[in-house]
Amino acid sequence: MKKGVLSSSFFLLLPLFDNLLISVRASETKPQIIFGNVGAAWANITTGSNNVFYSPTGSDLFVSCKAPYPIQWNISGLIAPADIVKIQPPRRNLHENIFEIKTNYFFVDAHNYHGIAASAQVACEKISDHAVRDHFTVFVRGNNPFVEPATKVVTDSKLIPCPTTDPTSPTTLYLKAPNGVDESVVQNAIYNPTEGFHSDNVFNGVYECRKQSSSITITANITGQADPNSDHQFSPSHDQIRVFTDESIELTCSSKSKSIVLVADENSNVSLQYSVDTDKIKTARLSVLENSRKVNIKGKVICVTGENKEVIKEWSYEFIEAPELYLDNFEGEVDCLSTQSPKMVQTVRCRNSMDCQFMDHCFRNASFCNFKKQKQFYATTDTFCWIEKIKSGRACASVPYSHLNGRVQCSVSSLTRKYEFFVALDFLRYSNWKDAPEKELLRLDTVPEVLYTNESTQFFCTGSAYLFADSLSFEIEFKNGTKHLLQDDGEMVNISNPYSENPRKIDEFNVLGVLNINLPIDAVAIHCLAPWWNSTDIMVTSSRFETIQLIAPVMSEESETGTKKIVYKNEPDQRLTCFAEGKPQPSYQWVFRNDTSSEFSKVEDVCPSLTTSIGSTGKGYLEFVNVTEMNSGEYKCVATNNLGSVSRNYQVQVSNEKKPCVEKV
């Protein structure tokens, strides 16, 4: 999904930033899948241009994919429980314009799971063009040569679904005769090991897939669709159509010899618009008007001949108000709001939108998701939820204490709607990134308004891992307005993207970039660049500052020039003056000792009656109050800043009456 421009002077979207621009034609290149060390447990049984791996027992498999444009994994078929598969967050190298994604399949760790198996095609594809792809196929034999062996029923299908977990032995499709005894081998079907038998025609009858001693029986039915040789054709073939009110229904009807019309019952809430409107072919889209989508609507559409009004096809339709997702951050609940009954809500944990798409198989078979962190939560009981934002209650299905990042399926009256939600930086959940405050998506830690050269300055940038590639980058801006994308050189610039062991990164819920840099004198800003994981767009947050060159402390002549000073008892306004110049302005520390044979100690520790102060011009003062003979001795003023320190010594002699100073502890 294209990301829009965020409304803040600190957050900018830079799709046109020259050195980040990516423009790739599909014909120029395709994604490249790269395998890690493939163990001996895997047999490469490739016969074509793409890799095919098979293992009777399974083993770890580590795979990455790279491309110069946004890519995603598309996994079709059975690939083992979600707990055994880890789709790592996408990465982005802005310097080389490279996108990279990884996935790990821990089949060895799954050996205790009953029925573990795999029969899937894993494709790495361009997000905007699914035809630009690379892929491989993986099989793990498991306990049975077929995936989920069972008796199945299919309707109006050109596929007999009997995928195998073992492609090394042949699979045969048989058609049983009506008497159930005789059978024949189906000759005109092509077998795909991850899907089953395909045909150009719709299957009809009782079929049996056989491999070795195992088999699957599939009953294939054909609905009332007219025969291909009939004068009339129509779609869809079924009579009852039910969709949500924000969806549409496409209806097609045609005749070879007669003029036809589509007639909808009178309903002011719906609209029937034609995309094909000829005498003998009608295709129309039936939809609910936007201002009527909060009500359920029923009706009929009929395809009839234009002359004698002969009914070719009659459809009954029902539009049902779509459920609404509500995230209760205070209670931690995930609520599906709907007035319909019965309702059901299911959630499963996922890491980003690509991972969430993969997790859809959890809703089809929960047994593949109820492990550890991926555990699926669901509720089938209607209840009443308090909606804080409208200060009211609504009928709902609710799952308490669910995941922070997740995929949701709301089911109402046998219809389903899927949503996703993610946790932002302050651990509030959102289903749409546009609803989140900008600082919840990406932020740079605050730095002082004035920074110095000749020393390393550290910048922390944090972003939501659900939205951004796990590879934040930094850019420096100079006084003349030019910008430069920073690269780690190991000396002046050090950039890291720490993993979860860093205390600033919590599991997969945020990504962290750390920049350590010796700033040049003409630097005015550091920008943190967060690539959206599924596009070439960049979100940016900035930190602006003034850069000043460090200057080591130098004692000024305004400090006391004499090495000796006499102070008198009961005389006011007696003090020593110390002044050092430097950037940043040095701080002062006064120390004292009674004689040259002893060590210096902090003045405040040995003579609390003496006080220190800083003047408006940056001078440091040591004030003598209640002077006693014990104040005689050697004093030192130490001026320190980031580059070092400088000092000056003073000999102080007290005149007149001898009276003990506060005793040294």
Side-chain angles (χ1 to χ4, degrees), residues 418-437:
K418 293 183 176 65
Y419 302 92
E420 296 171 16
F421 60 87
F422 69 95
V423 62
L425 298 184
D426 286 337
F427 282 83
L428 296 178
R429 294 173 302 171
Y430 298 90
S431 58
N432 187 335
W433 68 270
K434 294 180 180 179
D435 296 335

PDB file of all heavy atoms in Angstrom, residues 418-437:
ATOM      1  N   LYS A 418     -10.933  -9.834   6.960  1.00  0.00           N
ATOM      2  CA  LYS A 418      -9.627  -9.902   7.629  1.00  0.00           C
ATOM      3  C   LYS A 418      -9.069  -8.509   7.856  1.00  0.00           C
ATOM      4  O   LYS A 418      -9.214  -7.618   7.018  1.00  0.00           O
ATOM      5  CB  LYS A 418      -8.650 -10.748   6.819  1.00  0.00           C
ATOM      6  CG  LYS A 418      -9.025 -12.231   6.746  1.00  0.00           C
ATOM      7  CD  LYS A 418      -7.978 -13.014   5.983  1.00  0.00           C
ATOM      8  CE  LYS A 418      -8.291 -14.505   5.988  1.00  0.00           C
ATOM      9  NZ  LYS A 418      -9.522 -14.812   5.259  1.00  0.00           N
ATOM     10  N   TYR A 419      -8.405  -8.352   8.998  1.00  0.00           N
ATOM     11  CA  TYR A 419      -7.751  -7.103   9.361  1.00  0.00           C
ATOM     12  C   TYR A 419      -6.359  -7.427   9.901  1.00  0.00           C
ATOM     13  O   TYR A 419      -6.045  -8.568  10.229  1.00  0.00           O
ATOM     14  CB  TYR A 419      -8.532  -6.355  10.455  1.00  0.00           C
ATOM     15  CG  TYR A 419      -9.955  -6.023  10.116  1.00  0.00           C
ATOM     16  CD1 TYR A 419     -10.999  -6.896  10.450  1.00  0.00           C
ATOM     17  CD2 TYR A 419     -10.275  -4.826   9.489  1.00  0.00           C
ATOM     18  CE1 TYR A 419     -12.310  -6.580  10.161  1.00  0.00           C
ATOM     19  CE2 TYR A 419     -11.594  -4.501   9.195  1.00  0.00           C
ATOM     20  CZ  TYR A 419     -12.606  -5.383   9.533  1.00  0.00           C
ATOM     21  OH  TYR A 419     -13.911  -5.074   9.254  1.00  0.00           O
ATOM     22  N   GLU A 420      -5.560  -6.394  10.012  1.00  0.00           N
ATOM     23  CA  GLU A 420      -4.268  -6.501  10.681  1.00  0.00           C
ATOM     24  C   GLU A 420      -4.141  -5.366  11.684  1.00  0.00           C
ATOM     25  O   GLU A 420      -4.796  -4.330  11.540  1.00  0.00           O
ATOM     26  CB  GLU A 420      -3.118  -6.417   9.663  1.00  0.00           C
ATOM     27  CG  GLU A 420      -3.098  -7.558   8.668  1.00  0.00           C
ATOM     28  CD  GLU A 420      -2.098  -7.337   7.548  1.00  0.00           C
ATOM     29  OE1 GLU A 420      -1.221  -6.465   7.716  1.00  0.00           O
ATOM     30  OE2 GLU A 420      -2.203  -8.019   6.517  1.00  0.00           O
ATOM     31  N   PHE A 421      -3.327  -5.564  12.700  1.00  0.00           N
ATOM     32  CA  PHE A 421      -3.048  -4.471  13.630  1.00  0.00           C
ATOM     33  C   PHE A 421      -1.601  -4.583  14.079  1.00  0.00           C
ATOM     34  O   PHE A 421      -0.985  -5.643  14.010  1.00  0.00           O
ATOM     35  CB  PHE A 421      -4.008  -4.494  14.823  1.00  0.00           C
ATOM     36  CG  PHE A 421      -3.972  -5.749  15.644  1.00  0.00           C
ATOM     37  CD1 PHE A 421      -3.074  -5.901  16.691  1.00  0.00           C
ATOM     38  CD2 PHE A 421      -4.843  -6.797  15.373  1.00  0.00           C
ATOM     39  CE1 PHE A 421      -3.042  -7.060  17.449  1.00  0.00           C
ATOM     40  CE2 PHE A 421      -4.824  -7.965  16.126  1.00  0.00           C
ATOM     41  CZ  PHE A 421      -3.910  -8.095  17.167  1.00  0.00           C
ATOM     42  N   PHE A 422      -1.057  -3.458  14.506  1.00  0.00           N
ATOM     43  CA  PHE A 422       0.347  -3.427  14.908  1.00  0.00           C
ATOM     44  C   PHE A 422       0.489  -2.564  16.156  1.00  0.00           C
ATOM     45  O   PHE A 422      -0.360  -1.722  16.463  1.00  0.00           O
ATOM     46  CB  PHE A 422       1.228  -2.875  13.783  1.00  0.00           C
ATOM     47  CG  PHE A 422       1.021  -1.408  13.508  1.00  0.00           C
ATOM     48  CD1 PHE A 422       1.830  -0.451  14.101  1.00  0.00           C
ATOM     49  CD2 PHE A 422       0.014  -0.981  12.662  1.00  0.00           C
ATOM     50  CE1 PHE A 422       1.641   0.894  13.861  1.00  0.00           C
ATOM     51  CE2 PHE A 422      -0.186   0.361  12.404  1.00  0.00           C
ATOM     52  CZ  PHE A 422       0.633   1.304  13.007  1.00  0.00           C
ATOM     53  N   VAL A 423       1.579  -2.794  16.862  1.00  0.00           N
ATOM     54  CA  VAL A 423       1.862  -2.009  18.053  1.00  0.00           C
ATOM     55  C   VAL A 423       2.847  -0.908  17.684  1.00  0.00           C
ATOM     56  O   VAL A 423       3.832  -1.138  16.986  1.00  0.00           O
ATOM     57  CB  VAL A 423       2.426  -2.890  19.194  1.00  0.00           C
ATOM     58  CG1 VAL A 423       3.740  -3.523  18.808  1.00  0.00           C
ATOM     59  CG2 VAL A 423       2.584  -2.088  20.465  1.00  0.00           C
ATOM     60  N   ALA A 424       2.542   0.314  18.115  1.00  0.00           N
ATOM     61  CA  ALA A 424       3.413   1.456  17.865  1.00  0.00           C
ATOM     62  C   ALA A 424       4.431   1.588  18.997  1.00  0.00           C
ATOM     63  O   ALA A 424       4.505   0.745  19.897  1.00  0.00           O
ATOM     64  CB  ALA A 424       2.581   2.723  17.711  1.00  0.00           C
ATOM     65  N   LEU A 425       5.223   2.667  18.970  1.00  0.00           N
ATOM     66  CA  LEU A 425       6.390   2.747  19.852  1.00  0.00           C
ATOM     67  C   LEU A 425       6.039   2.860  21.323  1.00  0.00           C
ATOM     68  O   LEU A 425       6.843   2.487  22.174  1.00  0.00           O
ATOM     69  CB  LEU A 425       7.263   3.933  19.425  1.00  0.00           C
ATOM     70  CG  LEU A 425       7.821   3.825  18.002  1.00  0.00           C
ATOM     71  CD1 LEU A 425       8.752   4.992  17.717  1.00  0.00           C
ATOM     72  CD2 LEU A 425       8.547   2.509  17.784  1.00  0.00           C
ATOM     73  N   ASP A 426       4.868   3.384  21.642  1.00  0.00           N
ATOM     74  CA  ASP A 426       4.449   3.445  23.037  1.00  0.00           C
ATOM     75  C   ASP A 426       3.504   2.311  23.392  1.00  0.00           C
ATOM     76  O   ASP A 426       2.735   2.395  24.349  1.00  0.00           O
ATOM     77  CB  ASP A 426       3.794   4.801  23.343  1.00  0.00           C
ATOM     78  CG  ASP A 426       4.818   5.917  23.434  1.00  0.00           C
ATOM     79  OD1 ASP A 426       5.998   5.611  23.704  1.00  0.00           O
ATOM     80  OD2 ASP A 426       4.452   7.086  23.233  1.00  0.00           O
ATOM     81  N   PHE A 427       3.528   1.258  22.574  1.00  0.00           N
ATOM     82  CA  PHE A 427       2.797   0.012  22.816  1.00  0.00           C
ATOM     83  C   PHE A 427       1.281   0.181  22.794  1.00  0.00           C
ATOM     84  O   PHE A 427       0.559  -0.566  23.446  1.00  0.00           O
ATOM     85  CB  PHE A 427       3.264  -0.659  24.115  1.00  0.00           C
ATOM     86  CG  PHE A 427       4.566  -1.388  23.940  1.00  0.00           C
ATOM     87  CD1 PHE A 427       5.763  -0.700  24.018  1.00  0.00           C
ATOM     88  CD2 PHE A 427       4.599  -2.733  23.657  1.00  0.00           C
ATOM     89  CE1 PHE A 427       6.967  -1.344  23.819  1.00  0.00           C
ATOM     90  CE2 PHE A 427       5.797  -3.391  23.450  1.00  0.00           C
ATOM     91  CZ  PHE A 427       6.989  -2.698  23.524  1.00  0.00           C
ATOM     92  N   LEU A 428       0.808   1.152  22.026  1.00  0.00           N
ATOM     93  CA  LEU A 428      -0.609   1.225  21.694  1.00  0.00           C
ATOM     94  C   LEU A 428      -0.797   0.589  20.319  1.00  0.00           C
ATOM     95  O   LEU A 428       0.050   0.713  19.448  1.00  0.00           O
ATOM     96  CB  LEU A 428      -1.084   2.683  21.669  1.00  0.00           C
ATOM     97  CG  LEU A 428      -1.014   3.430  22.998  1.00  0.00           C
ATOM     98  CD1 LEU A 428      -1.460   4.875  22.813  1.00  0.00           C
ATOM     99  CD2 LEU A 428      -1.853   2.745  24.062  1.00  0.00           C
ATOM    100  N   ARG A 429      -1.924  -0.100  20.132  1.00  0.00           N
ATOM    101  CA  ARG A 429      -2.154  -0.832  18.895  1.00  0.00           C
ATOM    102  C   ARG A 429      -3.022  -0.011  17.934  1.00  0.00           C
ATOM    103  O   ARG A 429      -3.949   0.681  18.349  1.00  0.00           O
ATOM    104  CB  ARG A 429      -2.826  -2.174  19.188  1.00  0.00           C
ATOM    105  CG  ARG A 429      -1.951  -3.129  19.975  1.00  0.00           C
ATOM    106  CD  ARG A 429      -2.703  -4.364  20.392  1.00  0.00           C
ATOM    107  NE  ARG A 429      -3.865  -4.011  21.193  1.00  0.00           N
ATOM    108  CZ  ARG A 429      -4.809  -4.876  21.545  1.00  0.00           C
ATOM    109  NH1 ARG A 429      -4.730  -6.130  21.167  1.00  0.00           N
ATOM    110  NH2 ARG A 429      -5.823  -4.483  22.262  1.00  0.00           N
ATOM    111  N   TYR A 430      -2.711  -0.135  16.646  1.00  0.00           N
ATOM    112  CA  TYR A 430      -3.449   0.559  15.599  1.00  0.00           C
ATOM    113  C   TYR A 430      -3.674  -0.408  14.442  1.00  0.00           C
ATOM    114  O   TYR A 430      -2.844  -1.271  14.167  1.00  0.00           O
ATOM    115  CB  TYR A 430      -2.673   1.776  15.086  1.00  0.00           C
ATOM    116  CG  TYR A 430      -2.415   2.830  16.140  1.00  0.00           C
ATOM    117  CD1 TYR A 430      -1.264   2.789  16.914  1.00  0.00           C
ATOM    118  CD2 TYR A 430      -3.332   3.859  16.360  1.00  0.00           C
ATOM    119  CE1 TYR A 430      -1.023   3.749  17.885  1.00  0.00           C
ATOM    120  CE2 TYR A 430      -3.093   4.828  17.320  1.00  0.00           C
ATOM    121  CZ  TYR A 430      -1.938   4.766  18.084  1.00  0.00           C
ATOM    122  OH  TYR A 430      -1.705   5.715  19.037  1.00  0.00           O
ATOM    123  N   SER A 431      -4.804  -0.236  13.734  1.00  0.00           N
ATOM    124  CA  SER A 431      -5.058  -1.041  12.546  1.00  0.00           C
ATOM    125  C   SER A 431      -4.726  -0.269  11.280  1.00  0.00           C
ATOM    126  O   SER A 431      -4.698  -0.843  10.194  1.00  0.00           O
ATOM    127  CB  SER A 431      -6.527  -1.495  12.506  1.00  0.00           C
ATOM    128  OG  SER A 431      -7.395  -0.379  12.535  1.00  0.00           O
ATOM    129  N   ASN A 432      -4.456   1.030  11.418  1.00  0.00           N
ATOM    130  CA  ASN A 432      -4.105   1.862  10.275  1.00  0.00           C
ATOM    131  C   ASN A 432      -3.006   2.814  10.715  1.00  0.00           C
ATOM    132  O   ASN A 432      -3.173   3.551  11.700  1.00  0.00           O
ATOM    133  CB  ASN A 432      -5.328   2.647   9.799  1.00  0.00           C
ATOM    134  CG  ASN A 432      -5.075   3.413   8.519  1.00  0.00           C
ATOM    135  OD1 ASN A 432      -3.941   3.768   8.198  1.00  0.00           O
ATOM    136  ND2 ASN A 432      -6.131   3.686   7.779  1.00  0.00           N
ATOM    137  N   TRP A 433      -1.876   2.838  10.004  1.00  0.00           N
ATOM    138  CA  TRP A 433      -0.760   3.685  10.424  1.00  0.00           C
ATOM    139  C   TRP A 433      -1.125   5.167  10.376  1.00  0.00           C
ATOM    140  O   TRP A 433      -0.562   5.975  11.111  1.00  0.00           O
ATOM    141  CB  TRP A 433       0.468   3.422   9.550  1.00  0.00           C
ATOM    142  CG  TRP A 433       0.349   3.850   8.128  1.00  0.00           C
ATOM    143  CD1 TRP A 433      -0.119   3.107   7.090  1.00  0.00           C
ATOM    144  CD2 TRP A 433       0.704   5.113   7.574  1.00  0.00           C
ATOM    145  NE1 TRP A 433      -0.082   3.824   5.924  1.00  0.00           N
ATOM    146  CE2 TRP A 433       0.428   5.075   6.187  1.00  0.00           C
ATOM    147  CE3 TRP A 433       1.245   6.280   8.108  1.00  0.00           C
ATOM    148  CZ2 TRP A 433       0.653   6.147   5.351  1.00  0.00           C
ATOM    149  CZ3 TRP A 433       1.470   7.355   7.263  1.00  0.00           C
ATOM    150  CH2 TRP A 433       1.179   7.278   5.906  1.00  0.00           C
ATOM    151  N   LYS A 434      -2.107   5.527   9.544  1.00  0.00           N
ATOM    152  CA  LYS A 434      -2.506   6.927   9.456  1.00  0.00           C
ATOM    153  C   LYS A 434      -3.207   7.406  10.730  1.00  0.00           C
ATOM    154  O   LYS A 434      -3.305   8.606  10.972  1.00  0.00           O
ATOM    155  CB  LYS A 434      -3.412   7.137   8.247  1.00  0.00           C
ATOM    156  CG  LYS A 434      -2.718   6.906   6.914  1.00  0.00           C
ATOM    157  CD  LYS A 434      -3.668   7.136   5.752  1.00  0.00           C
ATOM    158  CE  LYS A 434      -2.971   6.898   4.425  1.00  0.00           C
ATOM    159  NZ  LYS A 434      -3.882   7.099   3.272  1.00  0.00           N
ATOM    160  N   ASP A 435      -3.718   6.469  11.519  1.00  0.00           N
ATOM    161  CA  ASP A 435      -4.397   6.838  12.765  1.00  0.00           C
ATOM    162  C   ASP A 435      -3.421   7.095  13.907  1.00  0.00           C
ATOM    163  O   ASP A 435      -3.806   7.627  14.944  1.00  0.00           O
ATOM    164  CB  ASP A 435      -5.369   5.727  13.191  1.00  0.00           C
ATOM    165  CG  ASP A 435      -6.500   5.542  12.197  1.00  0.00           C
ATOM    166  OD1 ASP A 435      -6.814   6.519  11.479  1.00  0.00           O
ATOM    167  OD2 ASP A 435      -7.064   4.441  12.130  1.00  0.00           O
ATOM    168  N   ALA A 436      -2.179   6.694  13.741  1.00  0.00           N
ATOM    169  CA  ALA A 436      -1.197   6.807  14.816  1.00  0.00           C
ATOM    170  C   ALA A 436      -0.506   8.164  14.757  1.00  0.00           C
ATOM    171  O   ALA A 436      -0.201   8.670  13.676  1.00  0.00           O
ATOM    172  CB  ALA A 436      -0.156   5.695  14.717  1.00  0.00           C
ATOM    173  N   PRO A 437      -0.223   8.794  15.926  1.00  0.00           N
ATOM    174  CA  PRO A 437       0.591  10.018  15.918  1.00  0.00           C
ATOM    175  C   PRO A 437       1.953   9.730  15.297  1.00  0.00           C
ATOM    176  O   PRO A 437       2.484   8.629  15.418  1.00  0.00           O
ATOM    177  CB  PRO A 437       0.715  10.355  17.413  1.00  0.00           C
ATOM    178  CG  PRO A 437      -0.419   9.652  18.070  1.00  0.00           C
ATOM    179  CD  PRO A 437      -0.647   8.409  17.270  1.00  0.00           C
TER     180      PRO A 437
END
